[in-house]
Amino acid sequence: MKDLLRITDLTGDDLTLLLELAADSQGTPGTAPSLLTHQIVPMYFAEPSTRTRLSTAAAVTRLGGTPVTVGPDELQLRRGETIADTARVMGSYAAAIVIRTFADADVADLAAAAPVPVINALTDGHHPLQAVADLLTISEHFGHLLGHRIAYLGDPGNVARSLMEAAALAGMDIALAVPPGYSPAEEALAFATTEAERRGGSVLVTHDVAEAVKGASVVYTDVWMSMGDPEQERGRRMKALAPYQVNEHRMDYARDDAVFMHCLPAHRGQEVTADVLDGGRSLAFRQAANRLPATQAVLYALLTDRLAGR
Ligand code: CP
Ligand code: NVA
């Protein structure tokens, strides 16, 4: 397996290996400090990023390499050079390429032409690095993943999709409470349902918040307006998603020891109230910290050809 573009690139064993490597690198941050010596990892960000950009830079540095951030205005892409030509050229200097942009098709084109691993650092459809960090965080908190239920409330966008696919690959139970008209992608739902059931887990999509949250160990949400969402949709999205806000009342439906999770950045008062996000049950900042070992594990596994892929 050369690239990580989406969670469905991974087998269940691949995901387990990434979680083990990530847990190991938390204990021993200096694992493989020479893997990337004298090499660069270009990080192309067409959208803003705090966590992904800096945790990836830190992970590359821990592996001995030099991260180089580039934006859309700095490359000849802006002047019409093709993605394929850019990929071939970058690949002749770089050990791997990390990309955050809007269209998944652009990332697929880059990966197809690049001779080195390409890692999706968020697209409109997927956020695989986030999902690996999320499962690491749940496993670290509860000691294991099996038998735990995640309730995701709100917009079934990139973060929800990767989370659902990863939870299914890990054999967990996941329930998404979404507004009418906001279903997860059919392809993602089919994958998650098949993979979860094969492992004794389950996937539920409902409009009923209480049904999703009842018995959950984790209550998760993401912003109501993603970076790729058109501004003219804001009013409609805020109205449709308002009943799916995570607040203390909603947390009460979950298990007594349930935790709250959010990929961040958060909008207090929209998808989550400040008391939940900043409260004692919130793992949001632990998740953010775990982006570093998760990305270090992904880089290490791809660069040492440890993942079987599909
Ligand atoms: N969660 C996440 O990807 O955050 P950034 O947009 O800050 O990278
Ligand atoms: N769904 C959000 C996640 C940000 C990390 C977005 O795409 O903007």
Side-chain angles (χ1 to χ4, degrees):
M1 172 174 164
K2 182 173 84 68
D3 312 300
L4 180 62
L5 305 191
R6 47 180 74 194
I7 287 294
T8 56
D9 291 340
L10 299 168
T11 64
D13 286 346
D14 290 336
L15 181 60
T16 302
L17 176 66
L18 287 177
L19 295 173
E20 285 169 4
L21 289 169
D24 285 352
S25 83
Q26 275 174 321
T28 320
T31 312
S34 322
L35 186 66
L36 287 172
T37 300
H38 302 312
Q39 299 189 76
I40 65 164
V41 174
M43 307 193 304
Y44 175 83
F45 280 84
E47 298 172 274
S49 170
T50 298
R51 281 144 289 270
T52 309
R53 182 198 309 252
L54 294 172
S55 60
T56 305
V60 169
T61 307
R62 281 187 176 185
L63 295 170
T66 303
V68 180
T69 305
V70 286
D73 291 338
E74 290 155 308
L75 298 182
Q76 296 287 7
L77 270 173
R78 186 174 64 85
R79 296 181 59 247
E81 187 166 24
T82 66
I83 291 174
D85 288 354
T86 306
R88 284 177 65 184
V89 172
M90 276 185 167
S92 61
Y93 317 126
I97 301 170
V98 175
I99 174 168
R100 169 173 289 196
T101 192
F102 300 93
D104 282 283
D106 288 349
V107 178
D109 288 350
L110 184 85
V116 296
V118 171
I119 299 173
N120 179 350
L122 185 144
T123 50
D124 287 347
H126 301 269
H127 200 359
L129 293 176
Q130 180 70 51
V132 175
D134 293 342
L135 262 57
L136 175 66
T137 307
I138 298 170
S139 162
E140 178 186 74
H141 182 82
F142 288 108
H144 58 277
L145 295 171
L146 281 179
H148 287 290
R149 174 183 178 120
I150 302 171
Y152 178 92
L153 272 52
D155 179 27
N158 45 14
V159 167
R161 178 174 185 164
S162 292
L163 179 70
M164 176 175 76
E165 292 167 345
L169 270 186
M172 298 180 74
D173 299 308
I174 181 158
L176 283 81
V178 298
Y182 285 69
S183 304
E186 264 179 41
E187 181 197 354
L189 198 52
F191 171 89
T193 304
T194 306
E195 294 296 329
E197 286 175 0
R198 178 182 295 170
R199 296 173 170 81
S202 64
V203 179
L204 169 75
V205 180
T206 175
H207 302 314
D208 182 344
V209 171
E211 185 186 17
V213 177
K214 195 161 174 268
S217 304
V218 176
V219 182
Y220 197 123
T221 192
D222 182 17
V223 293
W224 291 344
M225 272 293 285
S226 280
M227 291 179 277
D229 289 328
E231 194 51 40
Q232 62 267 29
E233 277 193 17
R234 181 176 291 277
R236 187 176 65 80
R237 295 179 73 84
M238 295 294 138
K239 193 164 167 226
L241 287 156
Y244 297 84
Q245 182 192 62
V246 179
N247 52 40
E248 285 295 354
H249 172 59
R250 263 57 192 271
M251 290 298 293
D252 284 345
Y253 300 143
R255 277 173 32 163
D256 287 347
D257 62 349
V259 293
F260 169 72
M261 293 179 69
H262 193 308
C263 56
L264 301 177
H267 294 88
R268 290 171 177 80
Q270 290 187 15
E271 75 275 5
V272 59
T273 52
D275 52 356
V276 171
L277 180 66
D278 301 318
R281 297 205 276 179
S282 173
L283 294 185
F285 292 90
R286 187 67 203 156
Q287 281 172 265
N290 277 339
R291 296 292 307 276
L292 168 50
T295 300
Q296 188 174 336
V298 169
L299 276 164
Y300 177 83
L302 288 175
L303 288 162
T304 56
D305 201 16
R306 299 281 298 278
L307 301 174
R310 283 169 189 272

